Amino acid sequence: MKRLFRIMQTFATVYYAYMVEYRAELVLWVLSGSLPIILMGVWTQAAQRGNFGLSPVDFARYFMAVFLVRQITVVWVIWEFEREVLEGKLSFRLLQPIDPVWHHVFSHASERLARLPFAVLLIVLFFILYPAAIFVPNILTIALFLLAAGLAFALNFLIQYTLAMVAFWTERASSLQEFWFLFYLFLSGAIAPLAVFPESVRTIAQLTPFPYLINFPASILVGLPVNLIQGFLVMLAWCAGFFALNRWLWRKGLKQYSGMGA
Amino acid sequence: MERYFRILRIFWSTAIAAELEYRINFAIAAFTSLGGLVGSLFGLFLFYQTGSSFPGWRWEEALIVVGIFTLLEGFSSTFLAPNLNRIVRHVQEGTLDFVLLKPISSQFWLSAHTVSPWGLPDIFFGIATILYGGIKLEIEPFAYFVSIVPLIFGLAILYSLWFMLGATSIWFVKIYNVTEVLRGLLEAGRFPMAAYPTAYRVFFTFVVPVAFLTTTPAETLLGRSGIAGTVVAGLLAIALLFVAHWFWRFALRFYTSASS
């Protein structure tokens, strides 16, 4: 137990130091997540004319929350894993007495810490530019939001790491990710709150894991109606499902792994 | 000039031969691109349900903007991304030395060295969408030819901005993702400028000229903007091309090479 704790601490500090080293890069990654801000403009404008059931301020808050959720849940493990497999670098990781996934988990988690101050700065800037949208969620809301966003990050990571396992069999697993990303983009609530989706699409979307990755945590934060208990249970179920699939594929894939180039 | 065409043909035939190794991926790319189009249309539809619309843009007209956006995406993933995103690596690993030694323009080499057929489905679906909207609106064939002019200006603008951002890696080696910021902002081209609040419109016209990439060609196709939009886009395109060329030569003066 003590050993495990020490390993975790070492990993966290090492990867945090590594991430802080590339501050400029990090800032650019934050800025490249500008899609919610763009859509915020279109939706607040549209809400002034049409009847969407949400006011312009609602839209502004929602997309601010989407921006924040995406900053918290962004995952890129598939590109790193793919490279490790293709270049045979996974072999060195396999020699270490610890599952290679922890490298990725800690690099993602510590990157979050390094990125967050800048994301918060952007949000403050946004509220200065758009004071009408200022709102103060209560402590319980914030706690629930952090829980939901954390869980969304875990689910997002599990899904992408599961897709990454395909790299054992094909050379370009990341093109699978690009396909997956489309559904993520259009069904997760990144382009619009699920509340404005047509009834039929919303029903279908809710059968997939996508809305729980963005719409669910963002709605909690801005106070749009969501079914809390059901939402959390469904997320846990998806996490468990992908975890099981992931471990199964990992075992199958390792037998397939030939350690090319190493 | 002729020499450059010959080199271009050699560059591209080797690049395509290499990419054809991954045929299944091409099928995936086609699927992805179709899915992307369906998604974009869905995203646009959300604004047009319940009888709402962007001011002055009917559904078919807005479709043309989506079509042009898809076309641009295809163009950039075929021609721009595979080349310009590699500049950073050349600088980082010092392989830019080899490019500079070649007896042709280094800007040409870096901009045209490879081509990736992955964007072709996007180009195809983009054109199909434009034609669908155009036929529904009964646009006369001549208008398509006229609108090609601002479209080419738009491509030139996009290329110049992208290339200049890539060139900054001579100073800041580690910022390979600066083009991702540009790519993120380009998403604004999905919708006509009329859909945005004033502040956004100013930003997307004067700071990051997304307006000239999709809205201006669409307006020309619809016979709306007259000649003015095209002229401005043309001047901007020519200016930016010159600036990009000058900027590259300026940047090269600071190139110190690495690991060689």
Side-chain angles (χ1 to χ4, degrees):
Chain A
M1 195 62 208
K2 209 174 152 196
R3 179 177 159 268
L4 192 72
F5 189 72
R6 221 181 49 233
I7 291 175
M8 275 167 61
Q9 205 184 10
T10 315
F11 267 34
T13 41
V14 165
Y15 278 108
Y16 182 72
Y18 184 77
M19 289 300 166
V20 174
E21 176 70 30
Y22 296 110
R23 279 176 305 253
E25 223 179 307
L26 216 59
V27 167
L28 292 173
W29 279 126
V30 173
L31 288 178
S32 67
S34 58
L35 185 65
I37 315 289
I38 292 170
L39 286 162
M40 179 197 296
V42 191
W43 275 109
T44 48
Q45 191 76 355
Q48 281 165 9
R49 291 184 312 269
N51 175 27
F52 292 100
L54 291 172
S55 70
V57 170
D58 286 336
F59 275 113
R61 286 178 187 162
Y62 176 81
F63 281 109
M64 212 58 243
V66 171
F67 175 76
L68 188 60
V69 172
R70 286 199 57 182
Q71 296 300 327
I72 296 176
T73 61
V74 62
V75 172
W76 59 87
V77 62
I78 192 163
W79 286 276
E80 302 215 322
F81 188 80
E82 187 190 54
R83 215 179 50 231
E84 279 176 15
V85 171
L86 292 186
E87 297 177 359
K89 291 196 175 124
L90 185 63
S91 311
F92 307 114
R93 295 266 164 102
L94 286 172
L95 285 175
Q96 295 170 358
I98 187 168
D99 192 296
V101 72
W102 293 110
H103 283 280
H104 299 297
V105 170
F106 278 100
S107 92
H108 279 71
S110 53
E111 193 260 7
R112 226 101 320 191
L113 283 180
R115 165 197 290 253
L116 227 49
F118 187 68
V120 170
L121 203 71
L122 272 187
I123 291 172
V124 170
L125 180 72
F126 161 74
F127 283 130
I128 292 171
L129 289 173
Y130 196 176
I134 292 180
F135 70 111
V136 184
N138 60 36
I139 297 291
L140 181 68
T141 313
I142 294 177
L144 280 172
F145 166 73
L146 287 178
L147 188 64
L151 211 54
F153 165 57
L155 179 55
N156 211 4
F157 186 88
L158 276 170
I159 292 175
Q160 206 182 87
Y161 194 53
T162 306
L163 290 178
M165 292 300 131
V166 177
F168 283 123
W169 288 274
T170 155
E171 286 189 18
R172 286 195 183 172
S174 53
S175 61
L176 202 66
Q177 162 64 19
E178 273 158 39
F179 193 56
W180 178 266
F181 181 75
L182 280 176
F183 290 94
Y184 169 78
L185 192 60
F186 295 112
L187 293 179
S188 64
I191 56 160
L194 243 64
V196 304
F197 278 23
E199 189 66 51
S200 53
V201 182
R202 198 186 327 157
T203 318
I204 295 171
Q206 264 156 357
L207 296 174
T208 67
F210 302 108
Y212 300 97
L213 295 174
I214 289 186
N215 187 70
F216 182 64
S219 299
I220 291 179
L221 185 62
V222 298
L224 292 174
V226 278
N227 190 337
L228 279 176
I229 296 168
Q230 191 199 350
F232 277 113
L233 286 179
V234 173
M235 275 176 104
L236 284 174
W238 279 113
C239 282
F242 275 103
F243 181 76
L245 183 62
N246 179 286
R247 290 295 89 186
W248 184 71
L249 283 173
W250 169 251
R251 246 167 257 139
K252 288 250 158 199
L254 273 189
K255 287 179 195 151
Q256 189 78 21
Y257 179 62
S258 56
M260 262 186 291
Chain B
M1 202 63 196
E2 196 195 317
R3 194 170 60 128
Y4 277 80
F5 278 115
R6 218 174 56 233
I7 293 171
L8 200 62
R9 220 182 51 224
I10 299 170
F11 277 167
W12 288 5
S13 55
T14 42
I16 287 171
E19 287 292 337
L20 285 181
E21 290 275 313
Y22 308 96
R23 270 168 300 230
I24 295 179
N25 280 290
F26 188 75
I28 298 178
F31 256 124
T32 307
S33 137
L34 186 63
L37 181 64
V38 173
S40 311
L41 295 181
F42 173 65
L44 183 65
F45 161 76
L46 288 177
F47 292 98
Y48 279 79
Q49 55 181 346
T50 67
S52 172
S53 74
F54 298 142
W57 291 79
R58 282 192 289 155
W59 165 252
E60 286 86 0
E61 296 170 337
L63 268 191
I64 288 179
V65 178
V66 171
I68 294 178
F69 177 76
T70 314
L71 180 68
L72 272 179
E73 271 200 323
F75 174 80
S76 44
S77 47
T78 305
F79 298 101
L80 300 183
N83 287 307
L84 304 182
N85 290 358
R86 217 172 277 180
I87 298 179
V88 181
R89 192 160 5 127
H90 285 306
V91 176
Q92 216 169 4
E93 297 174 0
T95 45
L96 189 61
D97 295 5
F98 307 131
V99 179
L100 294 176
L101 283 175
K102 300 223 161 66
I104 54 169
S105 152
S106 55
Q107 185 182 358
F108 171 79
W109 197 97
L110 290 171
S111 312
H113 180 241
T114 182
V115 65
S116 146
W118 308 89
L120 292 180
D122 265 342
I123 295 181
F124 172 77
F125 289 124
I127 292 175
T129 312
I130 297 169
L131 285 179
Y132 172 81
I135 289 167
K136 278 272 176 147
L137 291 166
E138 294 174 355
I139 291 172
E140 49 183 315
F142 182 65
Y144 294 103
F145 288 103
V146 178
S147 67
I148 286 177
V149 178
L151 189 64
I152 288 174
F153 290 149
L155 298 179
I157 293 171
L158 183 59
Y159 161 76
S160 315
L161 291 176
W162 203 316
F163 183 76
M164 278 191 277
L165 285 181
T168 53
S169 61
I170 298 251
W171 292 282
F172 317 103
V173 180
K174 268 292 167 193
I175 52 160
Y176 68 94
N177 52 0
V178 67
T179 51
E180 291 296 318
V181 179
L182 178 68
R183 262 198 149 167
L185 291 172
L186 290 179
E187 293 285 330
R190 281 175 191 277
F191 306 109
M193 277 301 128
Y196 290 96
T198 320
Y200 279 65
R201 255 182 264 175
V202 172
F203 181 81
F204 286 126
T205 308
F206 297 108
V207 184
V208 184
V210 178
F212 295 108
L213 303 184
T214 56
T215 308
T216 305
E219 280 178 335
T220 310
L221 181 59
L222 296 168
R224 280 192 191 169
S225 64
I227 196 81
T230 307
V231 170
V232 176
L235 291 177
L236 185 66
I238 292 165
L240 280 176
L241 280 175
F242 273 109
V243 172
H245 184 66
W246 170 83
F247 187 72
W248 175 241
R249 310 224 338 210
F250 178 71
L252 275 186
R253 283 202 247 149
F254 295 86
Y255 178 60
T256 48
S257 183
S259 71
S260 65

